[in-house]
Amino acid sequence: MMSFLLFSGLLILICMIYPHLPFVLRGLTCTFSGGMKTGIVGRTGSGKSNIALTLFRIIDPTVGQIVVDNDISTIGLHDLRSRLSIIPQDPTMFEGTPRSNPDSLEKFTDKQIWEALNCCQLGEEVKKKESKLYSAVMENGEDWSIGQRQLACLGRVIWKKSKVLILNEDTASVDTATDSLIQKTVREQFSEATVIAIVHRITSLLDSDMVLLLDNA
């Protein structure tokens, strides 16, 4: 199991450009135990999404330490990011096909692709298309709904089988039915993973083992 320790994680947004801005996270100390699901809530601007950014080292703490079994500042960016998975707030699909989107390097068989599509509730939708796995997908997935793009992103991380999954307000723009599908899939496919859910809907907290409330007051 993997575990998190966020110790005094202080950071400044775009600190090289605006060094006069206040810290977004101040004195944050908490532990996310391996295999548990933690929900993160807080008002807009409280720093929820910045936790995800620091985990992937898109921005680094000004003070403090983030540990994923080891101090992440000592891990190469490629190694670190290859071991974490995220479903972003704004889902992205690439121009290509349902087959190439999650597997651009063609590491998996068609059977494995179908299994993952079925797991993320997109199998039936892809089967309706004339060319099925090899149907065209427009740039940014514009011919797919936001909910379908969210499910496609979920399918992408199912293949990766990461021990750590971050959900960054992944259901903020989808209807309650799609929200339920995503929550059900996460429960089934990531039951042994460490899940950090930055949530928009309070109902998304129902499966959480712990809730972290951020406040920038």
Side-chain angles (χ1 to χ4, degrees), residues 139-194:
E139 185 177 359
N140 297 323
E142 291 181 1
D143 49 338
W144 291 52
S145 69
I146 292 179
Q148 288 173 332
R149 278 179 264 164
Q150 289 283 16
L151 291 170
C153 288
L154 181 58
R156 193 177 298 151
V157 302
I158 288 174
W159 279 293
K160 196 173 176 182
K161 299 187 183 300
S162 297
K163 293 293 186 182
V164 179
L165 173 65
I166 297 96
L167 310 175
N168 188 9
E169 295 196 278
D170 60 300
T171 60
S173 302
V174 300
D175 56 47
T176 53
T178 304
D179 184 4
S180 297
L181 283 177
I182 292 174
Q183 299 304 325
K184 177 177 181 291
T185 304
V186 169
R187 283 196 301 272
E188 294 174 350
Q189 299 298 319
F190 296 92
S191 59
E192 297 183 2
T194 302

Coordinates of all heavy atoms in Angstrom, one line a residue, residues 139-194:
E139 N -10.9 16.2 -32.3 CA -9.9 16.9 -31.4 C -10.7 17.3 -30.1 O -11.7 17.9 -30.2 CB -9.3 18.0 -32.1 CG -8.2 18.7 -31.2 CD -7.5 19.8 -32.0 OE1 -7.8 20.1 -33.2 OE2 -6.6 20.4 -31.4
N140 N -10.0 17.1 -29.0 CA -10.6 17.4 -27.6 C -11.9 16.6 -27.3 O -12.6 16.9 -26.4 CB -10.9 18.9 -27.5 CG -9.6 19.7 -27.6 OD1 -8.6 19.3 -27.1 ND2 -9.7 20.9 -28.3
G141 N -12.2 15.6 -28.2 CA -13.4 14.8 -27.9 C -14.7 15.6 -28.0 O -15.7 15.3 -27.3
E142 N -14.7 16.6 -28.9 CA -15.8 17.5 -29.0 C -17.1 16.8 -29.5 O -18.2 17.3 -29.3 CB -15.5 18.7 -30.0 CG -14.5 19.6 -29.4 CD -14.2 20.8 -30.3 OE1 -14.8 20.8 -31.4 OE2 -13.3 21.6 -30.0
D143 N -17.0 15.6 -30.1 CA -18.1 14.8 -30.5 C -18.6 13.9 -29.4 O -19.5 13.1 -29.6 CB -17.9 14.1 -31.8 CG -16.6 13.3 -31.7 OD1 -15.7 13.6 -30.9 OD2 -16.4 12.3 -32.5
W144 N -18.0 14.0 -28.2 CA -18.4 13.2 -27.0 C -18.9 14.2 -26.0 O -18.4 15.4 -25.9 CB -17.3 12.4 -26.5 CG -16.8 11.3 -27.3 CD1 -16.4 11.4 -28.6 CD2 -16.6 10.0 -26.9 NE1 -16.0 10.1 -29.1 CE2 -16.1 9.2 -28.1 CE3 -16.7 9.3 -25.7 CZ2 -15.8 7.9 -28.1 CZ3 -16.4 7.9 -25.7 CH2 -16.0 7.2 -26.9
S145 N -19.9 13.8 -25.2 CA -20.4 14.7 -24.1 C -19.4 14.8 -23.0 O -18.4 14.0 -22.9 CB -21.7 14.1 -23.5 OG -21.4 12.9 -22.8
I146 N -19.5 15.8 -22.1 CA -18.6 16.0 -21.0 C -18.6 14.7 -20.1 O -17.5 14.3 -19.7 CB -19.0 17.2 -20.2 CG1 -18.7 18.5 -21.0 CG2 -18.2 17.3 -18.9 CD1 -19.1 19.8 -20.3
G147 N -19.8 14.2 -19.9 CA -19.9 13.0 -19.1 C -19.1 11.8 -19.7 O -18.4 11.0 -19.0
Q148 N -19.3 11.6 -21.0 CA -18.6 10.6 -21.7 C -17.0 10.8 -21.7 O -16.3 9.8 -21.5 CB -19.0 10.5 -23.2 CG -20.4 9.9 -23.3 CD -21.0 10.0 -24.7 OE1 -20.6 10.9 -25.5 NE2 -21.8 9.1 -25.1
R149 N -16.6 12.0 -21.8 CA -15.2 12.3 -21.7 C -14.7 12.0 -20.3 O -13.5 11.5 -20.1 CB -14.9 13.8 -22.0 CG -14.8 14.0 -23.5 CD -14.6 15.5 -23.8 NE -15.9 16.2 -24.1 CZ -16.0 17.5 -24.1 NH1 -15.0 18.3 -23.8 NH2 -17.2 18.0 -24.4
Q150 N -15.5 12.3 -19.3 CA -15.1 11.9 -17.9 C -14.9 10.4 -17.8 O -13.9 9.9 -17.2 CB -16.1 12.4 -16.9 CG -16.2 13.9 -16.7 CD -15.0 14.4 -15.8 OE1 -14.0 13.8 -15.6 NE2 -15.1 15.7 -15.4
L151 N -15.9 9.7 -18.3 CA -15.8 8.2 -18.2 C -14.6 7.7 -19.0 O -13.9 6.7 -18.6 CB -17.1 7.6 -18.8 CG -18.3 7.9 -17.9 CD1 -19.6 7.4 -18.6 CD2 -18.2 7.1 -16.5
A152 N -14.3 8.4 -20.2 CA -13.1 7.9 -21.0 C -11.8 8.2 -20.2 O -10.9 7.3 -20.2 CB -13.1 8.7 -22.3
C153 N -11.7 9.3 -19.5 CA -10.6 9.5 -18.6 C -10.5 8.5 -17.5 O -9.4 8.0 -17.1 CB -10.7 10.9 -18.0 SG -10.4 12.3 -19.1
L154 N -11.6 8.1 -17.0 CA -11.6 7.0 -16.0 C -11.1 5.7 -16.6 O -10.4 5.0 -15.9 CB -13.1 6.9 -15.4 CG -13.3 5.8 -14.3 CD1 -12.4 6.1 -13.1 CD2 -14.7 5.8 -13.9
G155 N -11.6 5.4 -17.8 CA -11.1 4.2 -18.5 C -9.6 4.2 -18.7 O -8.9 3.2 -18.5
R156 N -9.1 5.4 -19.0 CA -7.6 5.6 -19.2 C -6.8 5.2 -17.9 O -5.8 4.6 -18.0 CB -7.3 7.0 -19.6 CG -5.9 7.3 -20.1 CD -5.8 8.7 -20.6 NE -6.8 9.0 -21.7 CZ -7.3 10.2 -21.9 NH1 -7.0 11.2 -21.1 NH2 -8.2 10.4 -22.9
V157 N -7.3 5.6 -16.7 CA -6.6 5.3 -15.5 C -6.8 3.9 -15.0 O -6.0 3.3 -14.3 CB -7.0 6.3 -14.4 CG1 -6.7 7.7 -14.8 CG2 -8.4 6.2 -13.9
I158 N -7.9 3.3 -15.5 CA -8.1 1.9 -15.1 C -7.0 1.0 -15.7 O -6.5 0.1 -15.1 CB -9.5 1.4 -15.6 CG1 -10.6 2.0 -14.8 CG2 -9.6 -0.2 -15.6 CD1 -12.0 1.7 -15.3
W159 N -6.6 1.3 -17.0 CA -5.5 0.6 -17.6 C -4.2 0.8 -16.8 O -3.4 -0.1 -16.7 CB -5.3 1.0 -19.0 CG -6.2 0.5 -20.0 CD1 -6.3 -0.8 -20.5 CD2 -7.2 1.2 -20.8 NE1 -7.3 -1.0 -21.4 CE2 -7.9 0.3 -21.6 CE3 -7.6 2.5 -20.8 CZ2 -8.9 0.6 -22.5 CZ3 -8.7 2.9 -21.6 CH2 -9.3 1.9 -22.5
K160 N -4.0 1.9 -16.3 CA -2.7 2.3 -15.7 C -2.6 1.5 -14.4 O -1.4 1.3 -13.9 CB -2.7 3.8 -15.4 CG -1.3 4.3 -15.1 CD -1.4 5.9 -15.1 CE -0.1 6.5 -14.7 NZ -0.1 8.0 -14.6
K161 N -3.7 1.2 -13.7 CA -3.7 0.5 -12.4 C -2.7 1.1 -11.4 O -2.0 0.4 -10.7 CB -3.2 -1.0 -12.7 CG -4.2 -1.7 -13.6 CD -3.9 -3.2 -13.7 CE -4.8 -3.9 -14.7 NZ -6.2 -3.8 -14.3
S162 N -2.8 2.4 -11.2 CA -2.0 3.1 -10.2 C -2.5 2.8 -8.8 O -3.7 2.5 -8.6 CB -2.1 4.6 -10.5 OG -1.5 5.0 -11.7
K163 N -1.6 2.9 -7.9 CA -2.0 2.7 -6.5 C -2.5 4.0 -5.9 O -3.0 4.0 -4.8 CB -0.7 2.2 -5.7 CG -0.3 0.8 -6.0 CD -1.3 -0.2 -5.6 CE -0.8 -1.6 -5.9 NZ -1.8 -2.7 -5.5
V164 N -2.4 5.1 -6.6 CA -2.8 6.4 -6.1 C -3.7 7.1 -7.2 O -3.2 7.2 -8.3 CB -1.6 7.3 -5.8 CG1 -2.2 8.7 -5.3 CG2 -0.8 6.7 -4.7
L165 N -4.9 7.4 -6.9 CA -5.8 8.1 -7.8 C -6.3 9.4 -7.2 O -6.7 9.4 -6.1 CB -7.0 7.2 -8.1 CG -8.1 7.8 -9.0 CD1 -7.6 8.1 -10.4 CD2 -9.3 6.8 -9.0
I166 N -6.2 10.5 -8.0 CA -6.7 11.8 -7.6 C -7.9 12.1 -8.5 O -7.8 12.1 -9.7 CB -5.6 12.9 -7.7 CG1 -4.4 12.6 -6.8 CG2 -6.2 14.2 -7.3 CD1 -3.3 11.9 -7.4
L167 N -9.0 12.5 -7.9 CA -10.2 12.9 -8.6 C -10.3 14.4 -8.3 O -10.7 14.8 -7.2 CB -11.4 12.1 -8.1 CG -11.3 10.6 -8.0 CD1 -12.6 10.0 -7.4 CD2 -11.1 10.0 -9.4
N168 N -10.0 15.2 -9.3 CA -10.1 16.7 -9.1 C -11.4 17.2 -9.6 O -11.6 17.6 -10.7 CB -8.9 17.3 -9.9 CG -8.8 18.8 -9.6 OD1 -9.5 19.3 -8.6 ND2 -8.0 19.5 -10.3
E169 N -12.4 17.2 -8.6 CA -13.7 17.7 -8.9 C -14.2 17.1 -10.2 O -14.8 17.8 -11.1 CB -13.8 19.2 -9.0 CG -13.5 19.9 -7.7 CD -13.9 21.3 -7.6 OE1 -13.1 22.2 -8.1 OE2 -15.0 21.6 -7.1
D170 N -14.0 15.8 -10.3 CA -14.3 15.1 -11.6 C -15.8 15.0 -12.0 O -16.1 14.7 -13.1 CB -13.7 13.6 -11.5 CG -14.4 12.8 -10.4 OD1 -14.3 13.2 -9.3 OD2 -15.0 11.8 -10.7
T171 N -16.7 15.3 -11.0 CA -18.1 15.2 -11.4 C -18.8 16.5 -11.4 O -20.0 16.6 -11.4 CB -18.8 14.2 -10.4 OG1 -18.7 14.7 -9.1 CG2 -18.2 12.8 -10.4
A172 N -18.0 17.6 -11.3 CA -18.6 18.9 -11.2 C -19.5 19.3 -12.4 O -20.4 20.1 -12.2 CB -17.5 20.0 -11.0
S173 N -19.2 18.8 -13.6 CA -19.9 19.2 -14.8 C -20.8 18.1 -15.4 O -21.3 18.3 -16.5 CB -18.9 19.7 -15.8 OG -18.1 20.7 -15.4
V174 N -21.0 17.0 -14.6 CA -21.8 15.9 -15.2 C -23.1 15.8 -14.4 O -23.2 16.3 -13.2 CB -21.0 14.6 -15.2 CG1 -19.8 14.8 -16.0 CG2 -20.6 14.2 -13.7
D175 N -24.0 15.1 -15.0 CA -25.3 14.9 -14.3 C -25.2 13.8 -13.2 O -24.1 13.1 -13.1 CB -26.4 14.5 -15.3 CG -26.0 13.2 -16.1 OD1 -25.5 12.2 -15.5 OD2 -26.2 13.2 -17.3
T176 N -26.2 13.7 -12.4 CA -26.1 12.8 -11.2 C -26.0 11.3 -11.6 O -25.3 10.6 -10.9 CB -27.3 13.0 -10.3 OG1 -28.5 12.8 -11.1 CG2 -27.3 14.4 -9.7
A177 N -26.6 11.0 -12.8 CA -26.5 9.6 -13.2 C -25.0 9.2 -13.6 O -24.5 8.2 -13.2 CB -27.4 9.4 -14.4
T178 N -24.3 10.1 -14.3 CA -22.9 9.9 -14.6 C -22.1 9.9 -13.4 O -21.1 9.2 -13.2 CB -22.4 10.9 -15.6 OG1 -23.3 10.9 -16.8 CG2 -21.0 10.6 -16.1
D179 N -22.4 10.8 -12.5 CA -21.7 10.9 -11.2 C -21.8 9.6 -10.5 O -20.8 9.0 -10.0 CB -22.3 12.0 -10.3 CG -21.6 12.2 -9.0 OD1 -20.6 11.6 -8.8 OD2 -22.1 13.0 -8.2
S180 N -22.9 9.0 -10.4 CA -23.1 7.7 -9.8 C -22.3 6.6 -10.5 O -21.7 5.7 -9.8 CB -24.6 7.3 -9.8 OG -25.4 8.2 -9.0
L181 N -22.3 6.6 -11.8 CA -21.5 5.6 -12.6 C -20.0 5.8 -12.2 O -19.3 4.8 -12.0 CB -21.6 5.8 -14.1 CG -22.9 5.3 -14.7 CD1 -23.0 5.7 -16.2 CD2 -23.1 3.8 -14.5
I182 N -19.5 7.0 -12.1 CA -18.1 7.2 -11.8 C -17.8 6.7 -10.4 O -16.8 6.0 -10.2 CB -17.7 8.7 -12.0 CG1 -17.8 9.1 -13.4 CG2 -16.3 9.0 -11.4 CD1 -17.6 10.6 -13.7
Q183 N -18.6 7.1 -9.4 CA -18.4 6.6 -8.1 C -18.4 5.1 -7.9 O -17.6 4.5 -7.2 CB -19.5 7.3 -7.1 CG -19.5 8.8 -7.1 CD -18.1 9.4 -6.7 OE1 -17.4 8.8 -5.9 NE2 -17.8 10.5 -7.3
K184 N -19.4 4.5 -8.7 CA -19.5 3.0 -8.6 C -18.2 2.4 -9.2 O -17.7 1.4 -8.7 CB -20.7 2.6 -9.4 CG -20.9 1.1 -9.6 CD -22.2 0.8 -10.3 CE -22.4 -0.7 -10.4 NZ -21.4 -1.4 -11.3
T185 N -17.7 2.9 -10.3 CA -16.5 2.4 -11.0 C -15.3 2.5 -10.1 O -14.5 1.6 -10.0 CB -16.3 3.0 -12.3 OG1 -17.5 2.9 -13.1 CG2 -15.1 2.4 -13.1
V186 N -15.2 3.7 -9.5 CA -14.0 3.9 -8.6 C -14.1 2.9 -7.4 O -13.0 2.4 -7.0 CB -14.0 5.4 -8.0 CG1 -13.0 5.6 -6.9 CG2 -13.7 6.3 -9.2
R187 N -15.2 2.7 -6.9 CA -15.4 1.7 -5.8 C -14.9 0.4 -6.2 O -14.2 -0.3 -5.4 CB -16.8 1.7 -5.3 CG -17.2 2.8 -4.4 CD -18.5 2.5 -3.6 NE -19.6 2.1 -4.5 CZ -20.5 3.0 -5.0 NH1 -20.3 4.3 -4.7 NH2 -21.4 2.6 -5.8
E188 N -15.3 0.0 -7.4 CA -15.0 -1.4 -7.8 C -13.6 -1.6 -8.3 O -13.0 -2.6 -8.0 CB -16.0 -1.8 -8.9 CG -17.5 -1.9 -8.5 CD -18.4 -2.1 -9.6 OE1 -18.0 -2.0 -10.8 OE2 -19.6 -2.4 -9.4
Q189 N -13.1 -0.6 -9.1 CA -11.8 -0.8 -9.7 C -10.6 -0.3 -8.9 O -9.5 -0.6 -9.1 CB -11.8 0.0 -11.1 CG -12.8 -0.5 -12.0 CD -12.6 -2.0 -12.4 OE1 -11.5 -2.4 -12.6 NE2 -13.7 -2.7 -12.5
F190 N -10.9 0.6 -7.9 CA -9.8 1.1 -7.1 C -10.0 0.9 -5.6 O -9.7 1.7 -4.7 CB -9.7 2.6 -7.3 CG -9.3 3.0 -8.8 CD1 -10.3 3.2 -9.7 CD2 -8.0 3.0 -9.1 CE1 -9.9 3.5 -11.0 CE2 -7.6 3.3 -10.5 CZ -8.6 3.5 -11.4
S191 N -10.6 -0.3 -5.3 CA -10.9 -0.6 -3.9 C -9.7 -0.7 -3.0 O -9.7 -0.5 -1.8 CB -11.7 -1.9 -3.8 OG -10.9 -3.0 -4.4
E192 N -8.5 -1.0 -3.6 CA -7.3 -1.2 -2.8 C -6.3 0.0 -3.0 O -5.2 0.0 -2.5 CB -6.6 -2.5 -3.2 CG -7.4 -3.7 -2.8 CD -6.7 -5.0 -3.1 OE1 -5.5 -4.9 -3.5 OE2 -7.2 -6.1 -2.9
A193 N -6.7 1.0 -3.8 CA -5.9 2.1 -4.1 C -6.1 3.2 -3.1 O -7.1 3.3 -2.4 CB -6.1 2.6 -5.5
T194 N -5.1 4.1 -3.0 CA -5.3 5.4 -2.2 C -6.0 6.4 -3.1 O -5.5 6.7 -4.2 CB -3.9 5.9 -1.7 OG1 -3.3 4.9 -1.0 CG2 -4.1 7.2 -0.9

